[in-house]
Amino acid sequence: MPKLATVFIISALAAIALWPAFQSPAAPQDEGTVLAYPELLLKGYLPYRDFENVTGPGNPLLLAIAYRAFGTSIFVERAVGMIYRLLIVVAIFGIAQRWKTVIAAASALVMATLLPATDLWANTWFAGVAFALCALWAMANESSTPRSFAAGVLAGVAVLCRHDLGLALGLASLPSFLSMNRRAKTAFIIGGIVGLAPLFYLMIALGPGQIVYSLFVFPVLKLNPGRHLSIADAKSELQVILAFHIIASVVNLCAGIVAVRDATTRARGRVLLGAAILGTGFLHYALERFDSGHAMNAALVPLALMPLSIFVLLTAFSKSLPVWMKAAAAILIAFTAVNAVLPRMTRYFYRGLSVTCRLAQPHQVSKPNEELGPGDKGTFIWRHGRAFPYGAANLAEAANKILAELERSSVPGQLFLVGPGDLRLTNYCDTYMYYLEPQLKPATYFLEMNPGSANAPGSRLARDIARADWVLLNRRWDFLIESNRSIQFGPNEPNETLRQDFDLWAEASEYLLYRNRRLRNAVMLPP
């Protein structure tokens, strides 16, 4: 009971700190994909065949189940995102509880303190991390066949969500897997196959070649040069996060090895070593695109394990100190380091608690270039009973205006395409509009716009535009400048198709709405 009460209190603190994020502005493409893709699955569309997706199908499938049960809504989606984060908190506690409850509570609280800095949307990364940690936790009882099977299912689902976790999770599972008996090993492998079953189905339906291209060849060889951000160009605070990640990983690995070498702690040491290997393996996620989101998301697990790892090392090398003193020192060192080194990240936790408890008022951004802060509210628009929050009121007003005109002029079932203003630069787009306008059908494979794909030579984008009835472009995305290949122009054919086959129908701020000329005989005229 004390353990259950402790983990409940820490999870509640995390939920309270995350609560204001239900009202926070959303990322138009990033969060737009987790709003649009699961609904398309419910309508019979398949990823990699009907729309581009560079991650595994697990997260859209889980969200599709949630949308089927509770309706398609950004609030349902963010509730799933909160569940992912709370699972991470509970799994960290579960992994660390085999030492002392107070140490497990400290590790879980470090995670809870950092999670509000990650936004709340149902990011596929957090789905993968949550199920991976739960898999390691389930493997802690190596002699239990049911738990081994459950661990395999959880590991399979983790890889189904984030296939790039496969190598790190495989290595992290080895310390516990190698100590299992034959029945437990078999159960784990069968569970993994069950967890990956949807991917096997897609391989049969689409062919293994398409899956390998979409999940491995394209993201690594073609997309990465257009998304990669180098460490040298990053802000100093991100470089500090990376250094902290590496230091914490070394500490965790050392603690895991020390615990495994001691016969009295070997069984639980294998779990710690696995979690340490997993957290170290997350470095690839930070390095592939070194921005605030990737760097922080990758460092969460190594930082949360620090109280446990410091305690293990102090216990091994300071025999004379009382246990309570070692625990207090480990907790003090870890919490001081996290709050001192990452104050811009931990402030989201304290601000979230203050806003939810009404000790502080949430701020609503009103100016176009005003910086967003912890607990800030977005400006919502509602279309077809669906909500989407913008960072500033002027952006919401322009989007609301152009979508109102689209709904006035279009007919349900017509084909609709969203993109940037200059279709030679496909770095980003307003994917969420497919979610806000469910009565229209997507006209393109490229619901998200990725450099090296939608604007690649020979891309089908121009053909998709030609078949669309309505095209909505946002010139705002033409000015995204990064130090990678995303700034290189692709073919001009999509722009030429738009100019030849479409009329400009309406305009609102950065938005341009075009109608296909084959609809010129329609009675409806623009205002």
Side-chain angles (χ1 to χ4, degrees):
M1 285 301 293
K3 288 184 178 181
L4 287 176
T6 302
V7 74
F8 176 80
I9 291 170
I10 296 171
S11 300
L13 283 174
I16 292 170
L18 287 163
W19 195 259
F22 275 99
Q23 303 294 321
S24 294
Q29 177 166 292
D30 298 36
E31 192 160 6
T33 59
V34 297
L35 291 168
Y37 292 178
E39 185 173 27
L40 291 178
L41 292 181
L42 294 175
K43 293 179 178 179
Y45 291 70
L46 288 180
Y48 323 119
R49 183 192 71 184
D50 301 316
F51 58 90
E52 184 171 73
N53 186 22
V54 296
T55 59
N59 193 42
L61 281 170
L62 292 170
L63 285 164
I65 295 171
Y67 293 167
R68 173 73 76 184
F70 302 105
T72 303
S73 162
I74 193 170
F75 303 109
V76 173
E77 174 258 314
R78 290 183 173 184
V80 173
M82 178 176 281
I83 291 171
Y84 290 159
R85 286 157 178 80
L86 295 181
L87 277 176
I88 290 172
V89 172
V90 173
I92 287 290
F93 183 92
I95 289 170
Q97 68 174 330
R98 298 176 183 279
W99 275 265
K100 281 189 170 296
T101 301
V102 67
I103 293 296
S107 289
L109 190 57
V110 169
M111 179 63 78
T113 304
L114 294 172
L115 278 173
T118 66
D119 297 327
L120 191 58
W121 66 283
N123 189 335
T124 185
W125 173 256
F126 285 97
V129 172
F131 289 111
L133 288 172
C134 288
L136 295 180
W137 179 20
M139 293 180 77
N141 190 341
E142 298 152 1
S143 61
S144 171
T145 302
R147 285 191 59 155
S148 297
F149 175 77
V153 174
L154 291 165
V157 174
V159 176
L160 190 70
C161 293
R162 291 291 308 202
H163 60 284
D164 54 343
L165 288 179
L167 178 59
L169 183 54
L171 294 174
S173 301
L174 279 179
S176 295
F177 179 80
L178 294 176
S179 64
M180 291 177 177
N181 58 46
R182 180 174 294 182
R183 287 187 64 185
K185 287 180 180 177
T186 302
F188 179 83
I189 293 171
I190 293 174
I193 294 172
V194 171
L196 288 170
L199 187 61
F200 297 140
Y201 167 78
L202 288 173
M203 283 187 175
I204 296 172
L206 308 181
Q210 181 62 37
I211 301 300
V212 170
Y213 176 82
S214 297
L215 296 183
F216 297 99
V217 176
F218 171 68
V220 176
L221 301 180
K222 298 188 177 182
L223 178 60
N224 190 56
R227 292 297 190 201
H228 178 74
L229 295 175
S230 67
I231 300 173
D233 296 331
K235 296 180 180 179
S236 59
E237 64 182 25
L238 298 186
Q239 296 171 346
V240 169
I241 292 174
L242 178 62
F244 205 0
H245 184 167
I246 294 172
I247 293 170
S249 295
V250 171
V251 172
N252 297 333
L253 289 170
C254 290
I257 292 170
V258 167
V260 169
R261 286 173 59 88
D262 187 338
T264 61
T265 60
R266 184 164 296 150
R268 54 185 174 174
R270 285 191 285 263
V271 183
L272 173 57
L273 180 59
I277 293 171
L278 183 69
T280 305
F282 290 168
L283 277 168
H284 85 277
Y285 183 72
L287 297 178
E288 69 184 19
R289 180 174 170 82
F290 198 66
D291 60 10
S292 58
H294 286 71
M296 190 64 222
N297 294 350
L300 290 172
V301 170
L303 298 183
L305 291 174
M306 280 185 61
L308 171 58
S309 296
I310 295 172
F311 175 74
V312 169
L313 293 175
L314 287 176
T315 301
F317 298 108
S318 301
K319 303 291 185 181
S320 59
L321 289 176
V323 173
W324 70 265
M325 191 175 292
K326 298 171 188 175
I331 294 169
L332 181 63
I333 292 170
F335 268 91
T336 302
V338 168
N339 283 277
V341 177
L342 305 175
R344 285 180 59 84
M345 303 303 170
T346 57
R347 68 189 178 119
Y348 284 82
F349 175 75
Y350 302 112
R351 170 71 175 171
L353 289 177
S354 299
V355 170
T356 304
C357 297
R358 300 187 179 182
L359 300 175
Q361 293 298 317
H363 175 64
Q364 192 155 30
V365 173
S366 57
K367 300 176 183 178
N369 297 319
E370 191 174 352
E371 184 178 354
L372 293 168
D376 283 352
K377 294 177 64 176
T379 301
F380 281 82
I381 69 166
W382 291 80
R383 314 302 308 178
H384 300 282
R386 301 178 176 199
F388 190 83
Y390 294 77
N394 66 313
L395 300 177
E397 182 182 358
N400 204 32
K401 180 179 178 181
I402 204 70
L403 290 177
E405 176 57 27
L406 173 66
E407 293 169 13
R408 185 190 76 88
S409 307
S410 62
V411 176
Q414 287 185 323
L415 297 176
F416 175 49
L417 186 146
V418 176
D422 188 341
L423 293 162
R424 297 174 299 170
L425 291 173
T426 55
N427 301 334
Y428 207 76
C429 76
D430 297 287
T431 305
Y432 71 92
M433 287 188 170
Y434 296 107
Y435 146 78
L436 286 181
E437 302 296 335
Q439 81 285 2
L440 301 176
K441 295 180 180 179
T444 181
Y445 177 75
F446 306 107
L447 304 185
E448 58 181 287
M449 293 284 178
N450 290 309
S453 178
N455 68 340
S459 160
R460 58 184 279 184
L461 181 58
R463 300 191 301 275
D464 288 347
I465 291 172
R467 65 192 287 265
D469 297 303
W470 298 91
V471 172
L472 180 56
L473 306 183
N474 188 347
R475 292 172 292 190
R476 180 184 176 197
W477 308 127
D478 297 343
F479 303 99
L480 290 178
I481 299 175
E482 296 181 344
S483 55
N484 51 41
R485 293 188 187 175
S486 65
I487 60 174
Q488 296 180 0
F489 287 108
N492 196 45
E493 186 181 357
N495 287 333
E496 291 289 341
T497 301
L498 186 72
R499 184 164 54 250
Q500 293 171 8
D501 297 350
F502 286 76
D503 296 317
L504 178 62
W505 184 263
E507 183 175 359
S509 186
E510 294 95 346
Y511 292 104
L512 301 172
L513 179 63
Y514 293 86
R515 188 183 73 162
N516 198 305
R517 289 178 181 172
R518 66 172 175 265
L519 302 177
R520 277 184 171 180
N521 293 328
V523 176
M524 187 75 69
L525 295 175

